[in-house]
Amino acid sequence: MSMMKTGGDFDHNRWLFETSGTYGYGNAFRDDYGDGGDERLQGDLETNDKPWKPLSRVIPIKNSIISPYRLLIFTRLVVLGFFLHWRVVNPNNNAIWLWLMSIICEIWFAFSWILDQIPKLCPINRSTDLEVLREKFDLPSPSNPTGRSDLPGIDFFVSTADPEKEPPLTTANTILSILAVDYPVEKVACYVSDDGGALLTFEAMAEACSFADLWVPFCRKHDIEPRNPDAYFNLKGDPTKGKSRPDFVKDRRRVKREYEEFKVRINGLPDAIRRRSEAFNAREEMKVLKHMRETGADPMEKPKVQKATWMADGSHWPGTWNNPSKEHSKGDHAGILQVMLKPPSHDPLTGGSSEDKLISFVDVDIRLPMLVYMSREKRPGYDHNKKAGAMNALVRSSAILSNGPFILNLDCDHYINNCRAIREGMCFMMDRGGEDICYIQFPQRFEGIDPSDRYANHNTVFFDGNMRALDGVQGPVYVGTGCMFRRFALYAFDPPNPDKMIVAKDNETQPLATGDFDPNLDVNLLPKQFGNSTLLAESIPVAEFQGRPLADHPAIKFGRPPGALRVPREPLDAVTVGEAVSVISCWYEDKTEWGERVGWIYGSVTEDVVTGFRMHNRGWRSVYCITKRDAFRGSAPINLTDRLHQVLRWATGSVEIFFSRNNALLATFKLKFLQRLAYLNVGIYPFTSMFLIVYCFLPAMSLISGQFIVQELNIWFLVYLMIITFCLIGSALLEVRWAEIGLEEWWRNEQFWLISGTSSHFAACIQGLLKVIAGIEISFTLTSKSAGEDEDDIYADLYLVKWTSLMIPPIVIALVNIVALIIAFSRTLFGSGQWNMFIGGAFFASWVLCHLYPFAKGLMGRRRKTPTIVFVWAGLISIIIALLWMALNPDSLNSLGSSSTTNSGFEFP
């Protein structure tokens, strides 16, 4: 295979498939010591002539927390077994139907709890050392007197699809935060995927490039944080805190004024594009009318002129028009690729202090990273595979243009909140043993969430609990955004195994054959896997080589030589850009493995989870990087309906995974056991909804029928229940401690688990089964970012009540339990007097209603505006239940009437 030459004093071809040392321990360190063996590794490495400075460390959870936590989990597991055994051998013969339904549900809940809880037994924390990273890669040295960075390149992917639901200003702010990231400028490239092909997004990016000339140097000059201008200028507190330069206040005022003008221009783009297009279309219509008069055509005939969308240079926009037409609609338009900011020079370029400049940028690097706008080609008859297809088009085009060995993807509403977060991720990738890390997942943090977090939008139990625990196994799952990938891992290759490297007797490194990496890495097989692009094929081994850790110590068995990445990048030419355009065509993936094995995987609405699963299944591991300052921040739907639809999409994807070849039960032995349980839980958890709905109706059935799930309140039943409850409380308290979350956040998560389990998850099971059995495709729409009816209230969306059929099951459950409580209380008070049965059923009914409390508040809205349909459902269900109870228990009604008349002194005739 031919290699892409990048120059330098060493032979790249020799190093591409070569080891970089003959000493050390290889990946056997993790097998022998586990992830917590950094201290022993430190001692082993310091026995060499050169001391070792690790870039990252594993920090185990304190034994005073994790040991009791594991003990409580084990105790609960054992007692749960005894409890279920007792329940099975002690049926309620008076209400066998009630007992049978309850025991089936409880057995499933126990199974589901095991899948969710067992992978949480090994939580860990991690730390990074940015100073060591700077010392190794950025500081000047005798071999690097200019101080050029030896860090690998990184390509940022930002995806957007609809400028009406994803405002261009939001996307522009995200782009600005990327362009200003604290990373070597020449190593950064940003790619914007506009899957809607909208001129509005394109021109918004052009405006962002113009404003970036001022914003990015300003951030570097004054060390601004965060580097999203909208988030920065809306910060509360003193903006001068920690700023030492005397011109900061003046500079900030000028930049803020420019940003306000920038927002006006962005928000005015829709009208500007419309007016421009109308003017150009009117001109074209006049030309046609003139031609018709000259040719003697019928003057009454209307001229046929396409209502095109026009660019500022007077040419037709090749993407989607405002008035869609053939070859200019969202599903039918040409591919567009525009390099909006060219690759910067390799050496710093400082600004001047001329009077015509708004701000003095003396001694400030004013270079900007490369920025590329891309809208892949779309034609009728092709399956474009939604976001996964757009991401794969970005992978191919970026491989040809910049070929950063690492890729970080962000949604358009997720911006960089910590400009040094990329360096923290690199501490793991570039550390010893980092060659088998496929991606670094950062936690998702959200803004604009209501203070009470009514619908658990922050999802801290998952991001700070489950993900932190998986980090101690084989790594966190991929959650769609805020993730830094190793490009070579996306190409579906197995992780390298340094222990199998060929070493000569004289301790010289030996080149590796292609088969030593992957049996499928063959020149003859590359077109079948990756398509017929030569430049794309040549970029693969280069990306693999540049993504290796630095071989600066004999113990680094698989690395690259220091200084290998200080060589300037080759400039772009027309041929290279033309090749990048060809790989985003709609036909390029035909008869290749893109989406099946390579890149983002197709076939599921949750392509993120499937893509991460495939990497773990090949033996790669991932790392969870929690930074002191949130790495990224984004938005989340706080409206109840939007939140339910978001969860519906995730759950539907999980059902698809369960019925596909991506089921964890079919995984290879390279997937660790606890990791397999975690992925199995991902595919199974929606099915819990069917049992949960039945179980939520059981208290009402018990109250109405006068029976209970057990024939009598046996002492063993109460003891088992008490122990399980104490274990639940204890494990919850310890979990919130090692996960560093609040108890209220844990409770909100529990509440929304029941709300979503009785609504979105159940609908997802139905939709998933329809797709698997009947082949009915599910269509999902983007969540609108539009504000509520009160634009001055950032939480206005929280109070909007938008009816959806997903609300029906929780409403029915709540009403049935409320009516059952009233019926049972009346009967117990005036009739049978069996308070023990009533208390048992009332306790479980109250448990259900407490979990549904946020849902009820969501139905009330701000001013208790509840859709009429809710009252219709309430009245109808209440009448049906009352009639059903009277039909099943006519004697109880008579006895109730007798008791009432006797107590009151009156008698019915």
Side-chain angles (χ1 to χ4, degrees):
M1 182 189 301
S2 60
M3 306 298 178
M4 184 181 294
K5 293 285 187 178
T6 57
D9 297 329
F10 59 91
D11 187 354
H12 272 73
N13 290 330
R14 178 171 176 258
W15 274 92
L16 284 176
F17 295 103
E18 225 173 82
T19 64
S20 58
T22 58
Y23 307 96
Y25 311 94
N27 283 347
F29 163 70
R30 276 186 300 276
D31 297 333
D32 295 339
Y33 300 144
D35 282 329
D38 291 78
E39 295 182 359
R40 293 183 63 182
L41 174 64
Q42 177 79 12
D44 290 339
L45 291 174
E46 288 181 352
T47 59
N48 292 285
D49 296 333
K50 185 178 179 182
W52 168 256
K53 294 183 179 180
L55 295 171
S56 63
R57 289 185 179 275
V58 174
I59 306 174
I61 305 296
K62 293 181 180 179
N63 285 330
S64 59
I65 299 176
I66 197 63
S67 296
Y69 177 74
R70 291 171 178 167
L71 179 61
L72 285 173
I73 298 301
F74 177 76
T75 303
R76 184 180 178 186
L77 182 63
V78 173
V79 175
L80 189 60
F82 284 110
F83 173 77
L84 292 177
H85 176 265
W86 184 91
R87 292 277 285 117
V88 170
V89 300
N90 291 275
N92 184 356
N93 295 318
N94 295 331
I96 199 69
W97 56 275
L98 191 64
W99 168 82
L100 184 61
M101 285 193 295
S102 65
I103 192 61
I104 292 175
C105 293
E106 288 166 3
I107 291 174
W108 178 267
F109 292 152
F111 171 68
S112 178
W113 173 77
I114 291 173
L115 291 182
D116 179 68
Q117 193 66 58
I118 299 303
K120 289 184 179 181
L121 294 178
C122 307
I124 61 171
N125 290 317
R126 296 182 186 269
S127 66
T128 58
D129 195 331
L130 294 180
E131 193 58 37
V132 174
L133 183 79
R134 179 172 174 269
E135 177 184 330
K136 287 188 175 185
F137 291 91
D138 291 333
L139 289 183
S141 63
S143 60
N144 181 30
T146 60
R148 285 182 174 178
S149 177
D150 201 20
L151 285 168
I154 182 168
D155 295 338
F156 289 84
F157 292 174
V158 179
S159 57
T160 182
D162 189 341
E164 294 183 1
K165 295 182 178 180
E166 298 170 331
L169 181 60
T170 301
T171 306
N173 282 321
T174 298
I175 299 302
L176 290 169
S177 72
I178 293 173
L179 297 180
V181 69
D182 183 7
Y183 202 76
V185 183
E186 68 278 7
K187 309 281 187 175
V188 176
C190 180
Y191 295 82
V192 181
S193 170
D194 177 17
D195 227 25
L199 179 59
L200 176 56
T201 304
F202 178 84
E203 295 199 355
M205 295 304 100
E207 290 288 351
C209 292
S210 177
F211 181 68
D213 286 331
L214 177 67
W215 172 252
V216 173
F218 168 71
C219 292
R220 293 172 183 158
K221 178 180 179 180
H222 296 291
D223 195 21
I224 299 301
E225 198 79 274
R227 298 190 175 183
N228 173 330
D230 187 69
Y232 172 69
F233 289 121
N234 285 314
L235 285 177
K236 296 180 181 179
D238 183 10
T240 63
K241 185 178 181 180
K243 307 301 179 186
S244 57
R245 301 185 71 128
D247 56 350
F248 169 72
V249 175
K250 180 186 65 174
D251 290 352
R252 184 181 185 276
R253 187 181 302 115
R254 290 180 176 177
V255 173
K256 186 175 183 180
R257 183 175 64 248
E258 290 296 318
Y259 178 65
E260 294 299 326
E261 296 178 1
F262 166 74
K263 289 199 297 184
V264 171
R265 293 195 300 271
I266 292 286
N267 293 328
L269 280 176
D271 286 338
I273 294 172
R274 178 182 53 80
R275 291 194 302 267
R276 179 204 309 151
S277 299
E278 289 176 351
F280 277 113
N281 288 330
R283 186 193 66 179
E284 293 298 308
E285 187 173 342
M286 294 297 296
K287 288 181 179 180
V288 173
L289 283 173
K290 181 179 179 181
H291 178 72
M292 290 174 64
R293 286 195 299 266
E294 292 175 352
T295 57
D298 184 0
M300 300 300 294
E301 183 181 353
K302 291 185 178 181
K304 296 180 180 180
V305 178
Q306 285 184 320
K307 300 297 182 181
T309 299
W310 295 76
M311 301 175 67
D313 62 358
S315 60
H316 282 179
W317 170 243
T320 302
W321 288 353
N322 293 339
N323 297 307
S325 65
K326 185 179 179 181
E327 297 186 352
H328 291 285
S329 62
K330 287 186 177 181
D332 182 15
H333 63 78
I336 308 169
L337 191 145
Q338 176 68 43
V339 180
M340 309 193 82
L341 291 175
K342 295 181 179 179
S345 61
H346 202 68
D347 296 315
L349 178 64
T350 58
S353 59
S354 58
E355 296 182 357
D356 58 336
K357 298 290 185 181
L358 289 173
I359 298 177
S360 173
F361 290 133
V362 177
D363 298 329
V364 178
D365 191 354
I366 62 173
R367 293 176 300 162
L368 298 178
M370 182 171 74
L371 175 63
V372 178
Y373 171 90
M374 189 275 291
S375 181
R376 57 183 172 140
E377 181 187 16
K378 288 187 174 182
R379 298 300 180 195
Y382 285 88
D383 186 357
H384 302 294
N385 296 295
K386 302 182 178 67
K387 180 182 177 180
M391 299 303 292
N392 284 339
L394 283 175
V395 172
R396 295 191 297 270
S397 59
S398 65
I400 293 173
L401 295 177
S402 55
N403 198 32
F406 297 100
I407 294 171
L408 194 145
N409 80 293
L410 293 171
D411 290 341
C412 65
D413 60 336
H414 274 70
Y415 66 88
I416 298 179
N417 185 64
N418 181 350
C419 66
R420 296 174 181 82
I422 313 306
R423 291 181 175 270
E424 295 210 32
M426 284 297 172
C427 285
F428 298 108
M429 291 291 194
M430 294 292 102
D431 205 2
R432 186 207 163 276
E435 67 276 353
D436 65 346
I437 298 176
C438 56
Y439 60 81
I440 307 291
Q441 178 64 63
F442 295 85
Q444 291 185 19
R445 306 300 187 200
F446 302 102
E447 295 178 327
I449 306 298
D450 56 296
S452 64
D453 193 13
R454 182 185 293 177
Y455 307 124
N457 288 95
H458 285 300
N459 214 357
T460 51
V461 173
F462 174 76
F463 286 113
D464 293 327
N466 297 61
M467 298 285 272
R468 196 192 302 259
L470 287 177
D471 198 19
V473 186
Q474 198 172 344
V477 298
Y478 168 41
V479 293
T481 184
C483 187
M484 186 168 73
F485 286 94
R486 183 182 300 275
R487 183 184 289 269
F488 189 71
L490 279 171
Y491 290 151
F493 295 121
D494 293 337
N497 188 349
D499 295 330
K500 294 183 179 180
M501 300 302 174
I502 302 173
V503 180
K505 295 181 180 180
D506 55 357
N507 287 340
E508 291 294 330
T509 57
Q510 297 293 323
L512 295 179
T514 56
D516 293 328
F517 257 125
D518 192 299
N520 295 327
L521 184 57
D522 192 320
V523 176
N524 298 324
L525 295 177
L526 286 178
K528 179 183 177 183
Q529 290 182 258
F530 303 101
N532 56 9
S533 172
T534 303
L535 291 180
L536 177 59
E538 291 177 346
S539 72
I540 296 172
V542 176
E544 184 281 320
F545 164 72
Q546 294 182 354
R548 296 182 184 182
L550 196 65
D552 60 345
H553 192 279
I556 307 300
K557 198 172 182 182
F558 186 85
R560 58 177 172 84
L565 303 185
R566 294 181 182 137
V567 182
R569 179 189 297 173
E570 293 182 354
L572 295 178
D573 53 30
V575 175
T576 303
V577 177
E579 186 82 355
V581 173
S582 69
V583 299
I584 64 173
S585 62
C586 57
W587 50 263
Y588 185 83
E589 293 184 354
D590 290 349
K591 299 180 181 180
T592 68
E593 295 186 356
W594 285 100
E596 296 181 4
R597 188 169 178 267
V598 178
W600 269 258
I601 306 302
Y602 302 153
S604 174
V605 295
T606 50
E607 71 288 330
D608 45 6
V609 177
V610 176
T611 302
F613 166 77
R614 290 288 187 89
M615 295 182 185
H616 285 138
N617 197 34
R618 287 192 290 269
W620 293 90
R621 65 185 179 99
S622 58
V623 166
Y624 200 48
C625 181
I626 301 179
T627 55
K628 291 182 179 179
R629 178 185 176 87
D630 293 344
F632 310 101
R633 283 188 179 177
S635 61
I638 61 174
N639 178 265
L640 175 59
T641 302
D642 293 338
R643 178 73 165 126
L644 291 178
H645 280 284
Q646 181 189 55
V647 175
L648 171 64
R649 176 182 172 274
W650 296 341
T652 303
S654 294
V655 176
E656 293 174 347
I657 291 172
F658 181 79
F659 288 108
S660 71
R661 60 177 178 174
N662 298 307
N663 191 315
L665 292 174
L666 307 177
T668 67
F669 291 106
K670 294 180 180 179
L671 191 70
K672 294 184 178 180
F673 175 71
L674 293 184
Q675 194 80 13
R676 187 186 301 266
L677 289 182
Y679 274 116
L680 187 60
N681 186 47
V682 169
I684 285 180
Y685 81 87
F687 297 102
T688 303
S689 63
M690 296 183 287
F691 301 91
L692 182 61
I693 289 177
V694 173
Y695 209 73
C696 287
F697 279 115
L698 288 183
M701 296 178 186
S702 175
L703 290 168
I704 293 175
S705 65
Q707 300 294 332
F708 197 50
I709 58 176
V710 294
Q711 190 162 351
E712 58 181 9
L713 294 179
N714 184 279
I715 185 63
W716 285 109
F717 172 79
L718 296 176
V719 168
Y720 290 144
L721 195 62
M722 182 180 63
I723 296 176
I724 291 174
T725 303
F726 282 144
C727 289
L728 170 65
I729 296 173
S731 60
L733 293 175
L734 291 173
E735 185 171 324
V736 298
R737 284 193 63 188
W738 64 252
E740 300 176 3
I741 61 178
L743 189 60
E744 184 178 359
E745 293 174 306
W746 180 88
W747 170 236
R748 284 284 183 261
N749 182 79
E750 291 295 304
Q751 288 179 309
F752 193 73
W753 169 78
L754 190 140
I755 294 171
S756 59
T758 55
S759 56
S760 300
H761 295 176
F762 181 67
C765 292
I766 297 175
Q767 290 189 350
L769 291 173
L770 286 176
K771 180 178 180 180
V772 173
I773 298 173
I776 300 176
E777 289 290 336
I778 304 107
S779 177
F780 292 94
T781 57
L782 292 171
T783 301
S784 176
K785 308 293 192 301
S786 60
E789 56 187 29
D790 185 0
E791 295 183 358
D792 296 330
D793 186 357
I794 61 174
Y795 305 127
D797 264 359
L798 180 68
Y799 307 108
L800 288 178
V801 181
K802 298 183 288 187
W803 175 255
T804 173
S805 58
L806 295 177
M807 296 179 177
I808 295 177
I811 290 175
V812 173
I813 290 172
L815 291 175
V816 167
N817 279 277
I818 291 173
V819 172
L821 277 171
I822 297 173
I823 293 174
F825 179 77
S826 303
R827 182 179 58 208
T828 306
L829 183 64
F830 300 108
S832 64
Q834 296 180 359
W835 287 100
N836 57 341
M837 290 297 182
F838 170 75
I839 292 174
F843 171 79
F844 288 108
S846 301
W847 175 85
V848 173
L849 294 174
C850 286
H851 281 74
L852 290 175
Y853 175 69
F855 176 82
K857 288 188 67 176
L859 289 181
M860 294 299 103
R862 185 197 298 273
R863 290 175 289 274
R864 300 191 178 276
K865 288 183 178 179
T866 306
T868 308
I869 187 65
V870 174
F871 296 105
V872 174
W873 275 97
L876 180 62
I877 293 171
S878 300
I879 293 171
I880 293 174
I881 293 176
L883 293 174
L884 180 63
W885 177 61
M886 288 187 292
L888 294 176
N889 300 276
D891 296 335
S892 62
L893 183 62
N894 295 330
S895 64
L896 178 60
S898 307
S899 175
S900 300
T901 54
T902 302
N903 293 335
S904 60
F906 290 95
E907 185 175 356
F908 283 109

